């Protein structure tokens, strides 16, 4: 079997090895029931990834990998502070995939009747979920007019041995689906389960309609993705994935779907009459490892959202108003809020950038907060401190009424219903300018220089007995950077 032109493509195996080597992986060798136990265990893995090694039918499953933005940075070979700027660069470096004849994902082939989705280790994430949901399925579809490929996440609630629900927020897959619907034809789909996390980051990247997210994956990986042809649909999938399901979405069927433990930490959004997928083929590696994916605020699903969303917005902001001084962007918990870290050159510049951040490829941002370089945007106490000490609500808060918002934001009025063409949330957006005066106004800026000790290089460890040192808190980086006004 010709598995490779490149001897070691990045895949879920290389990622597990990397996590293991970095001391970032917990292995669970006791049996775990995906329907009643796995969700609770995943919720506790916020620091480390977890590999369940002893599941029914001989399965293993990788979860919470990445468990947080620090682990996301590990996957990209960088640090938490640098991962978003790095991704913003890689977004512009798409690499087209290459076709190969065969690959590990084709080691075993199962025709209709030979596979049973209810025997996969698909877990129930939350107490009120409608059933087990594949959260890690990356769905490949094509525009029937142009043949352009699309890759995106869609939750797939198991409904039988060969059937799942599919939840389609009105974006690219939905657009393709509506085109098939107009032709009265089923939409062919391929679902990729289990691969290197950079594929997952690519699928969560919202780009222009017509951009192939597998080219974005190539850019993120800095290597061309190897694709193989599907067996029963005219689609291509990564040769080095763990498992692929082939199926189709019938044009007019709607069935009850949800509730589901979602990224906002709520269950209900999207619940209702949604389309379904009928599956007719499965291929997988001989010893395939399943991928679980749990949502909920700050869980793995949010990590996949946060990093590409922040990078896409950072990239967009770079062009606003002649080159602003931008340091970083980071989506905040619940991901309807985003922080911009910048140094203003002019009065009012933060608001210009915030307007751009509220209207991008991403529908999520509803609240945007601009802060300076001395505020740690990964630390929510720092964010609250900046809001409390650097905002004059009367002039620094702006509300834009009557905007189209993310359809899963429970705080906003919902128009129409999930699964229908006009489904939306019609709400508002808010900008909060928590920046200090621009660098050019040195005098006004002086009021906001932060407290720091006289000699920050001193270490308590050099002065105290060792047994008391577990209580020591490291000084934050702000103490060591150049002074704000320096
Ligand atoms: C963990 C995770 C789960 C997601 N689940 C869904 C989903 O069930 N339905 C959906 O329409 N979008 C879902 N998304 C969002 C889309 O995958 C994401 O917005 C993607 O960029 C959309 O692709 P598109 O830009 O090609 O439409 C999910 C994203 C992540 C990271
Ligand atoms: Mn797309």
């Amino acid at each position: 079997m010709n598995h490779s032109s490149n001897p070691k493509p990045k895949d879920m195996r290389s990622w597990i090895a990397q996590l293991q080597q970095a001391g970032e992986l917990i292995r669970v060798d006791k049996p775990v029931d995906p329907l009643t136990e796995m969700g609770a265990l995943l919720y506790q893995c916020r620091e480390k990834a977890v590999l369940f090694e002893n599941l029914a039918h001989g399965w293993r499953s990788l979860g919470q990998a990445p468990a947080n933005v620090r682990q996301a940075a590990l996957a990209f070979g960088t640090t938490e502070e640098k991962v978003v700027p790095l991704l913003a660069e890689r977004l512009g470096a798409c690499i087209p995939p290459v076709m190969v004849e065969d690959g590990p994902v084709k080691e075993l082939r199962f025709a209709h009747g030979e596979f049973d989705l209810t025997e996969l280790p698909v877990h129930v994430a939350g107490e009120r979920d409608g059933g087990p949901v594949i959260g890690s399925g990356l769905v490949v579809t094509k525009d029937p007019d142009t043949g352009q490929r699309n890759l995106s996440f869609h939750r797939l609630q198991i409904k039988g041995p060969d059937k799942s629900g599919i939840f389609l927020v009105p974006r690219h897959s939905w657009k393709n689906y509506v085109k098939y619907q107009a032709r009265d034809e089923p939409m062919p789909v391929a679902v990729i389960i289990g691969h290197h996390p950079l594929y997952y980051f690519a699928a969560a990247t919202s780009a222009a309609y017509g951009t192939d997210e597998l080219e974005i994956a190539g850019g993120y990986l800095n290597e061309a993705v190897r694709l193989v042809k599907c067996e029963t649909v005219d689609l291509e999938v990564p040769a080095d994935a763990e498992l692929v399901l082939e199926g189709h979405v019938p044009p007019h069927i709607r069935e009850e779907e949800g509730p589901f433990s979602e990224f906002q930490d709520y269950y209900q959004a999207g619940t209702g009459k949604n389309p379904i997928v009928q599956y007719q083929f499965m291929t997988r590696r001989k010893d395939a490892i399943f991928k679980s994916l749990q949502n909920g605020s700050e869980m793995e699903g949010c990590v996949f959202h946060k990093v590409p969303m922040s990078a896409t917005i950072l990239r967009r902001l770079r062009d606003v108003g002649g080159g602003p001084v931008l340091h970083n962007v980071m989506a905040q918990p619940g991901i309807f809020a985003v922080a911009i870290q910048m140094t203003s050159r002019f009065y009012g510049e933060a608001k210009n950038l915030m307007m751009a951040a509220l209207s991008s490829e991403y529908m999520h941002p509803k609240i945007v907060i601009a802060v300076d370089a001395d505020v740690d945007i990964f630390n929510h106490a720092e964010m609250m401190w900046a809001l409390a000490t650097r905002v004059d609500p009367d002039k620094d808060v702006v509300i834009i009424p009557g905007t189209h918002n993310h359809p899963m934001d429970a705080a906003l009025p919902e128009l129409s219903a999930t699964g229908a063409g006009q489904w939306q949330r019609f709400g508002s957006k808010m900008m909060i300018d928590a920046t200090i005066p621009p660098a050019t106004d040195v005098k006004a800026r002086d009021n906001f220089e932060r407290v720091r000790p006289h000699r920050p290089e001193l270490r308590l460890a050099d002065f105290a007995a060792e047994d008391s040192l577990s209580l020591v808190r490291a000084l934050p980086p702000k103490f060591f950077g150049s002074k704000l006004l320096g």
Side-chain angles (χ1 to χ4, degrees):
M1 222 190 259
N2 172 24
H3 272 180
S4 160
S5 46
N6 171 350
K8 269 198 173 162
K10 292 194 191 92
D11 59 14
M12 202 159 94
R13 311 296 165 117
S14 66
W15 173 231
I16 291 172
Q18 192 186 354
L19 286 166
Q20 176 77 43
Q21 202 176 14
E24 293 283 348
L25 185 68
I26 295 167
R27 288 175 182 268
V28 174
D29 56 6
K30 293 205 172 122
V32 170
D33 178 9
L35 300 182
T36 60
E37 295 177 329
M38 191 181 278
L41 305 184
L42 285 165
Y43 267 121
Q44 293 163 50
C45 289
R46 305 219 174 195
E47 281 303 316
K48 304 272 174 183
V50 58
L51 183 63
F52 298 103
E53 297 189 299
N54 189 353
L55 304 174
H57 306 288
W59 279 101
R60 292 175 288 166
S61 182
L62 179 71
Q64 285 293 95
N68 47 48
V69 177
R70 182 175 50 76
Q71 281 194 353
L74 181 70
F76 282 95
T78 186
T79 61
E80 195 178 46
E81 289 76 20
K82 290 191 184 141
V83 67
V84 165
L86 175 78
L87 225 72
E89 290 306 322
R90 297 262 186 97
L91 267 171
C94 287
I95 298 177
V98 292
M99 290 304 301
V100 294
E101 287 298 309
D102 205 349
V105 77
K106 298 285 192 183
E107 281 170 359
L108 298 180
R109 295 159 199 250
F110 302 87
H112 189 250
E114 296 172 353
F115 64 88
D116 182 344
L117 301 184
T118 66
E119 292 186 357
L120 298 176
V122 183
H123 82 291
V124 176
E127 200 180 14
R128 289 178 62 187
D129 284 12
V133 172
I134 301 174
S136 62
L138 303 185
V139 178
V140 183
T141 59
K142 277 186 181 169
D143 176 339
D145 296 331
T146 64
Q148 266 297 330
R149 197 163 38 221
N150 195 73
L151 179 72
S152 47
F153 278 86
H154 296 279
R155 73 187 193 205
L156 306 160
Q157 185 178 327
I158 303 295
K159 289 172 174 264
D162 63 351
K163 181 171 138 182
S164 79
I166 184 166
F167 174 58
L168 297 166
V169 170
R171 284 194 50 84
H172 300 163
S173 309
W174 171 260
K175 208 161 168 160
N176 290 344
Y177 176 62
V178 168
K179 288 190 181 194
Y180 281 101
Q181 235 183 356
R183 297 168 177 220
D184 251 342
E185 288 173 20
M187 174 169 74
V189 297
V191 178
I192 304 156
I193 300 173
H195 211 316
H196 193 277
L198 271 55
Y199 286 79
Y200 281 91
F201 284 111
T205 301
S206 286
Y209 182 65
T211 302
D212 180 1
E213 283 85 0
L214 284 165
E215 291 196 12
I216 296 178
Y220 287 175
L221 290 153
N222 201 22
E223 66 189 32
V225 167
R226 296 159 14 101
L227 297 182
V228 285
K229 280 195 171 305
C230 286
E231 306 295 313
T232 62
V233 285
D234 182 22
L235 295 170
E236 303 78 32
V237 287
D240 301 294
E242 296 293 318
L243 186 152
V244 165
L245 297 170
E246 300 179 11
H248 55 278
V249 185
H252 305 295
I253 296 178
R254 295 287 185 278
E255 288 184 9
E256 279 306 324
E257 189 269 351
F260 179 57
S261 304
E262 271 292 355
F263 64 92
Q264 329 83 327
D265 232 49
Y266 300 130
Y267 292 104
Q268 290 301 334
T271 299
K273 298 271 188 200
N274 282 311
I276 62 156
V277 190
Q278 287 291 162
Y279 299 93
Q280 67 267 3
F281 213 85
M282 177 170 100
T283 72
R284 66 168 172 86
R285 293 184 185 231
K286 271 198 193 102
D287 59 346
I289 302 174
F290 201 75
K291 178 80 191 73
S292 73
L293 194 148
Q294 187 120 340
N295 281 290
S297 183
E298 299 296 272
M299 297 294 290
E300 180 176 15
C302 283
V303 178
F304 282 131
H305 262 127
K306 283 171 90 166
V307 176
M309 185 195 306
S310 305
T312 303
I313 292 170
L314 179 68
R315 191 176 170 81
R316 170 170 282 271
L317 297 186
R318 280 185 182 160
D319 295 329
V320 174
V325 182
L326 273 169
H327 306 296
N328 217 339
V329 170
M330 185 38 62
Q332 301 294 299
I335 69 176
F336 295 135
V338 60
I340 301 172
Q341 193 188 40
M342 62 181 290
T343 303
S344 300
R345 298 171 304 159
F346 309 108
Y347 279 103
E349 187 177 30
K351 287 211 185 82
N352 290 38
L353 294 191
M354 288 193 287
M355 286 192 280
L358 285 176
S359 185
S360 74
E361 290 84 343
Y362 280 85
M363 286 189 279
H364 303 78
K366 171 178 67 174
I367 299 173
V368 59
I369 306 162
V371 297
D372 273 81
D374 63 327
V375 178
D376 179 359
I377 59 174
F378 296 90
N379 178 337
H380 309 127
E382 284 268 299
M383 290 301 297
M384 287 309 294
W385 168 84
L387 291 183
T389 68
R390 293 182 168 182
V391 173
D392 174 358
D394 183 41
K395 67 175 177 48
D396 291 329
V397 178
V398 178
I399 292 170
I400 305 157
T403 57
H404 169 62
N405 288 61
H406 196 285
M408 295 175 79
D409 185 344
L412 309 173
E414 187 174 33
L415 307 185
S416 184
T418 174
Q422 296 307 311
W423 180 45
Q424 72 162 104
R425 300 269 179 175
F426 182 55
S428 59
K429 301 210 177 199
M430 176 165 67
M431 313 193 272
I432 306 176
D433 183 354
T435 60
I436 62 176
T440 41
D441 194 342
V442 175
K443 199 161 174 299
R445 211 170 156 84
D446 184 56
N447 289 325
F448 297 96
E449 182 170 350
R450 295 181 74 167
V451 167
R452 52 182 198 165
H454 181 53
R455 288 184 58 197
E457 77 280 6
L458 295 184
R459 284 289 159 278
L460 184 56
D462 297 329
F463 293 80
E466 268 194 29
D467 59 355
S468 58
L469 289 176
S470 61
L471 298 176
V472 169
R473 191 184 270 207
L475 291 177
K478 67 175 170 102
F479 286 135
F480 303 104
S482 59
K483 287 172 69 176
L484 186 61
L485 301 167

